[in-house]
Amino acid sequence: MTPPPFDPTTIRRDFPLLTTPFHGKPMIYLDSAVSGLVPLPVLGRMDHYQRLEHTNVHRGVSTLSQEATDRFEEAREKVRSFLNAASTKEIIWTRGTTEAINLVAQTFGRANIHAGDEILLSAMEHHANIVPWQMLAEERGAKLRVIPMSDAGELILDDLEALLTPHTKLLGVVQVSNVLGTINPVKEIIARAHAKGVPVLVDGAQAVPHLTVDVQDLDADFYVFSGHKLSGPTGIGVLYGKKALLEKMPPWHGGGSMILSVSWEKTTYIGLPGKFEAGTPAITQAIGLGAALDYLQGLGLDRIAAYEHELLHYATEKLSAIEGLCIVGNAKAKASVLSFVLEGIHPHDVGSILDHDGIVVRAGHHCAQPVMQRLGIPATTRASFAYFNTREDVNALVAGILKVQEIFK
Ligand code: C6P
């Protein structure tokens, strides 16, 4: 049976914020890269769980506790299936992308990275995939090296083999840049790193809302993302790691739920994934993330990707036609992010004036200061698109930008 056409008008009804007056107008939300809106079915699922199903998990013999544990573990299975991981043992709940990367740095990193070693990162990483490694490098006397990028915002991979030295202990790369929208060829990068025996961590925070991800096909060693960019709630994220690697890594946080036995002399730990999940987890949020995956899969991940691709193309054409506007990030492969600068106008002013018109965008360095330094700009204004945005939203953005230019004339 042919599915009905992708219809953002109907989908928009699931997002009350889009019909709530904002500065006296309906809101135009073009900031899904900072955090996605959560649709009603996901809110409903969390509300239902919290009202009628909630207690702590992995702790009790009560029916309520066993059922809460089942719901929580079903959510983990949904994530496993979403990423096509081989096992739920490879899916570790975290608070988000940032915590997942810190977990890898503090466990895999501390166990494997020593004085004189190198960590190779790309020039377009978010601070979340720089700072944890810098902290570790400082502690260990290791060194960060950087895969350069072109002015268009594409990684320059010509010298990748030379950058992968016998000292390289990990390569970290973002799949989709949060500033430039660039889709990096992570499968190729992983294959080339593996040929030199180097494991790879992929930051998928901006990729999972827009691309179909198969961690086995990518052969990623670690893959991380946040629930709140994926139509789910904040406070929940995922570390995927290959079982063989996770098993060798020491635990990170210690406490309840991650132990097999504790005495004053010694503690022993349970296996995966619990070894990395000390304390009461974000149960409602994990169930919410599972519901978000159901919701997105119900809309069709391929259909979302195709729709957003077309919308980005439309927006790129429209914004390119504005005199005095320069798009930042012109890679051939891009997803859902459109950064720009306006000649003679600071991005913060652009963002504030658009905001008064009910258009929500982000202005700043987007937690990627090295990208700004590389491009020689202090900041950009960034519009980011989701499956509920429409051509009308793009037209409103264009009108808003023209108004900003008029004010600064
Ligand atoms: N980027 C943005 O506006 P957390 O905060 O842990 O959920 O995600 C961090 C993060 C890591 N990697 C990438 C590529 C990201 O885009 C983000 C979050 C937001 O671009 C907020 S700074």
Side-chain angles (χ1 to χ4, degrees), residues 11 14 18 30 47 79 84-86 129 132 151 157 181 190 227 230 257 295-296 342 347 358-359 375 390:
I11 294 169
D14 283 337
L18 298 177
L30 296 175
D47 180 74
V79 172
N84 193 32
N129 205 19
D151 291 343
L157 298 171
I190 291 168
L230 198 59
S257 259
Y295 181 84
L296 295 174
L342 291 183
I359 303 167
L375 297 175
T390 59

Side-chain angles (χ1 to χ4, degrees), residues 31 33-35 95-99 101 124-129 174-179 203-206 225-229 236 362 366-367 382:
D31 208 6
V34 82
S35 204
R95 280 193 299 129
T97 305
T98 304
E99 189 174 76
I101 297 172
M124 60 179 82
E125 296 310 307
H126 184 279
H127 296 164
N129 205 19
V174 68
Q175 190 170 13
V176 171
S177 158
N178 67 318
V179 179
D203 174 351
Q206 299 290 352
F225 71 89
S226 302
H228 71 100
K229 307 223 196 262
I236 190 77
R362 185 171 174 195
H366 313 295
C367 302
R382 182 189 70 184

Side-chain angles (χ1 to χ4, degrees), residues 228-264:
H228 71 100
K229 307 223 196 262
L230 198 59
S231 307
T234 55
I236 190 77
V238 169
L239 162 65
Y240 158 82
K242 281 184 182 164
K243 194 161 150 258
L245 285 170
L246 293 175
E247 272 171 346
K248 276 197 230 135
M249 284 154 51
W252 184 28
H253 293 157
S257 259
M258 47 83 77
I259 58 89
L260 201 54
S261 70
V262 179
S263 70
W264 289 119

Side-chain angles (χ1 to χ4, degrees), residues 46 109 125 163 167-168 184 246 259 261 263 289 292 298 304 335 346:
M46 289 192 288
E125 296 310 307
L163 285 165
H167 302 291
T168 315
N184 286 316
L246 293 175
I259 58 89
S261 70
S263 70
L289 176 54
I304 289 175
H346 195 281

